[in-house]
Amino acid sequence: MDMRLLVVFQTLALPLALSFVLLCLTPRSDWQNTLGLLLIWLPSYAWIIGLPSVPPLEAVDWLWLLGLMMTMTPIINRPFRRQMVQTFVLLMGLVALTWPVLRYQLTVVLSIELIITGAAGGVLLHRLNRAPPASPALTMATSAGGLAVASALAGSLLIGQLAAALAAVTGGFALYELIKRSRETRFSMQQTALTWVIYLGLLTIARVYAELPLGPAVLLGASPLTGLLLPWRYGWFTSLLLAGIALAWIVLNNSTTSAG
Amino acid sequence: METRTIKALLSLVAFCATPGLSQTAAAEAVAAGNYKIDPAHTTIQFTVSHLGVSDLSGRFNLFEGGITLAPNGNSEVNVSIQTASVDTNHRKRDDHLRSPDFFNAKQYPEMRFVSKKVSNNAYGQPIKVQGDLTLHGKTRPVTLKVSPVGAGADPWGGYRAGFNATTTIKRSAHGMNFMQGGIGDDITITLNIEAVKQ
């Protein structure tokens, strides 16, 4: 198969097609929906990275485990306990992803970045368990799409492809929200939590391992956060705006460096 | 101005030629002992197929290592290379090579070769080095084919020996699987080593 076709198929076509299948199958139980979302992301993930190492060796090898653990959390009935477990999984995931660097390069800046990432992740998980956002799939698709392009431009096509696949698995649900003009969603809170945690994982990998600049990384972190926290229907538009600024930042920085 | 430039260039050529070294030293025995790789006169290069239409070369700029030449096959070689120093004369490509897509230089900042067996020729010069290459967190056996270049006293009172070594590895064997369709699996590594006797 032609290389470009292969990339398009494994990164966009396959997960998007599966996303529409999952959309047609919903609504089912929250746990099944979340598991379904993970299952339609895994084929692209495994295809892109060439099957993850077991036990995990590199940061990207941890993502499926992180996703699996998040998928299990909707089993917990009590919201507060579920939220605590989800936050714990997120924090442990961030430590596992960054441990190879943390163990020999634990700088103040990196520590602060990780604490802020963990705190932001925890805050959103807390909110998701209390109040559903207006258009979560559209927000996550927009932000993951932005991260995909940003990672590819900043230096890692691998992270870019993984983020694009994440955007594509939410694509069917995002399109549904667009058609319904953000009045209705089929993307559950737990699905949003799963997508958010994988997104944060990818953003952290891009920042720590692929040298994604701090400014665009902050904007890309804020992109889904604002989109999901804002109460109004078109909150996802702020996600689009922040992701767009992040991309413009990277493009301008690249062209400035090249000229120099 | 031009005459001065030509003179300077001639001086540089004469300096690099190091007349103290024997030009026929390749056929002579190399003095046994411990050698340290001279990074200023050593290059570590690699070549990989790009899209199946051309071969792309790059090099590593930061490395260190030592050679112990001893009779009876007791010689040893070890080389440590900083993966972040990869240089293909293209900044964006180098950033990409350092990323998790390839070397993952943040997680695996070093690649290391440690010899296990060194085979010598009749002059006691190494011609084949078998050892372990640790790259991208995975250790695999490799065999370096070695060509002794020369050895002898240098103008500064020291003693130097030079070797060219080459091997081909599969990057997939070291878990570097990304973009197999566009970038070849076989990597030819060439080391042009000059080592100074300690």
Side-chain angles (χ1 to χ4, degrees):
Chain A
M1 192 189 284
D2 178 69
M3 219 174 82
R4 282 171 298 181
L5 272 179
L6 178 73
V7 170
V8 169
F9 189 73
Q10 64 185 182
T11 307
L12 296 172
L14 174 68
L16 192 60
L18 291 173
S19 174
F20 284 116
V21 171
L22 187 69
L23 179 71
C24 293
L25 291 175
T26 53
R28 290 175 187 273
S29 76
D30 208 2
W31 183 79
Q32 285 173 324
N33 287 340
T34 314
L35 181 64
L37 189 73
L38 179 73
L39 289 178
I40 64 168
W41 180 68
L42 282 180
S44 292
Y45 164 73
W47 197 356
I48 291 165
I49 72 167
L51 287 179
S53 299
V54 180
L57 288 176
E58 295 184 76
V60 289
D61 296 331
W62 283 99
L63 288 173
W64 73 273
L65 266 177
L66 187 61
L68 186 66
M69 289 170 80
M70 279 302 292
T71 306
M72 296 299 169
T73 56
I75 298 171
I76 303 165
N77 287 326
R78 292 183 181 177
F80 181 73
R81 193 174 290 175
R82 182 171 62 226
Q83 178 198 318
M84 286 292 110
V85 172
Q86 285 180 339
T87 307
F88 179 75
V89 168
L90 171 69
L91 295 178
M92 287 299 103
L94 288 178
V95 172
L97 290 174
T98 53
W99 182 249
V101 173
L102 284 182
R103 66 181 179 179
Y104 77 93
Q105 205 180 47
L106 182 60
T107 60
V108 176
V109 176
L110 182 58
S111 308
I112 292 170
E113 284 180 29
L114 283 177
I115 290 167
I116 291 172
T117 307
V123 165
L124 190 62
L125 288 172
H126 175 75
R127 282 295 299 269
L128 284 176
N129 280 290
R130 285 174 165 235
S135 39
L138 204 48
T139 300
M140 288 313 304
T142 304
S143 302
L147 176 61
V149 181
S151 295
L153 288 173
S156 176
L157 293 177
L158 177 74
I159 308 304
Q161 272 192 266
L162 289 173
L166 186 67
V169 293
T170 59
F173 296 88
L175 196 65
Y176 181 85
E177 287 172 7
L178 263 183
I179 292 166
K180 296 285 179 184
R181 298 192 176 196
S182 299
R183 287 196 186 92
E184 195 182 316
T185 182
R186 283 210 180 164
F187 208 59
S188 72
M189 284 186 286
Q190 298 311 319
Q191 284 177 312
T192 311
L194 171 67
T195 320
W196 165 242
V197 167
I198 294 176
Y199 176 86
L200 266 191
L202 285 169
L203 181 62
T204 304
I205 296 170
R207 172 72 188 135
V208 174
Y209 295 94
E211 308 281 359
L212 180 69
L214 180 61
V218 170
L219 288 168
L220 287 166
S223 169
L225 202 63
T226 51
L228 295 171
L229 291 179
L230 285 175
W232 48 293
R233 273 199 295 160
Y234 300 105
W236 65 270
F237 191 75
T238 57
S239 301
L240 182 66
L241 192 67
L242 289 173
I245 295 170
L247 293 183
W249 188 322
I250 292 171
V251 170
L252 286 173
N253 192 41
N254 279 352
S255 57
T256 309
T257 313
S258 300
Chain B
M1 182 65 184
E2 278 182 14
T3 313
R4 194 184 298 171
T5 308
I6 291 167
K7 276 183 179 175
L9 281 171
L10 285 173
S11 305
L12 185 65
V13 168
F15 182 75
C16 292
T18 54
L21 287 175
S22 164
Q23 296 301 308
T24 56
E28 296 168 5
V30 182
N34 293 324
Y35 289 79
K36 188 177 177 186
I37 290 174
D38 176 6
H41 296 95
T42 296
T43 52
I44 299 177
Q45 300 169 83
F46 61 89
T47 304
V48 62
S49 166
H50 179 240
L51 299 174
V53 298
S54 67
D55 288 335
L56 178 86
S57 290
R59 66 183 189 193
F60 294 98
N61 293 327
L62 296 175
F63 50 83
E64 58 182 18
I67 302 169
T68 301
L69 291 178
N72 306 324
N74 291 326
S75 300
E76 289 174 9
V77 180
N78 66 78
V79 182
S80 167
I81 300 164
Q82 302 296 311
T83 52
S85 71
V86 65
D87 181 357
T88 61
N89 198 29
H90 189 278
R91 190 183 65 82
K92 291 298 289 178
R93 182 168 54 220
D94 296 342
D95 288 344
H96 191 201
L97 287 171
R98 281 186 276 267
S99 79
D101 302 18
F102 295 100
F103 287 108
N104 198 359
K106 278 286 185 77
Q107 182 165 350
Y108 305 114
E110 183 184 82
M111 79 166 112
R112 176 176 283 274
F113 174 78
V114 179
S115 69
K116 291 174 97 174
K117 185 184 175 189
V118 180
S119 307
N120 294 343
N121 63 10
Y123 299 98
Q125 299 165 321
I127 53 168
K128 190 167 85 171
V129 179
Q130 291 163 279
D132 287 336
L133 176 70
T134 303
L135 165 64
H136 203 249
K138 288 194 166 79
T139 302
R140 297 284 179 266
V142 297
T143 301
L144 291 167
K145 189 180 167 192
V146 182
S147 306
V149 179
D154 64 28
W156 305 281
Y159 183 89
R160 288 169 183 255
F163 310 93
N164 292 337
T166 183
T167 189
T168 301
I169 63 165
K170 288 202 178 292
R171 66 184 176 100
S172 58
H174 292 270
M176 294 168 74
N177 296 310
F178 194 63
M179 291 179 81
Q180 284 282 2
I183 297 164
D185 193 21
D186 289 337
I187 314 283
T188 302
I189 300 172
T190 307
L191 300 95
N192 304 118
I193 295 174
E194 185 171 310
V196 184
K197 195 165 184 284
Q198 300 300 293

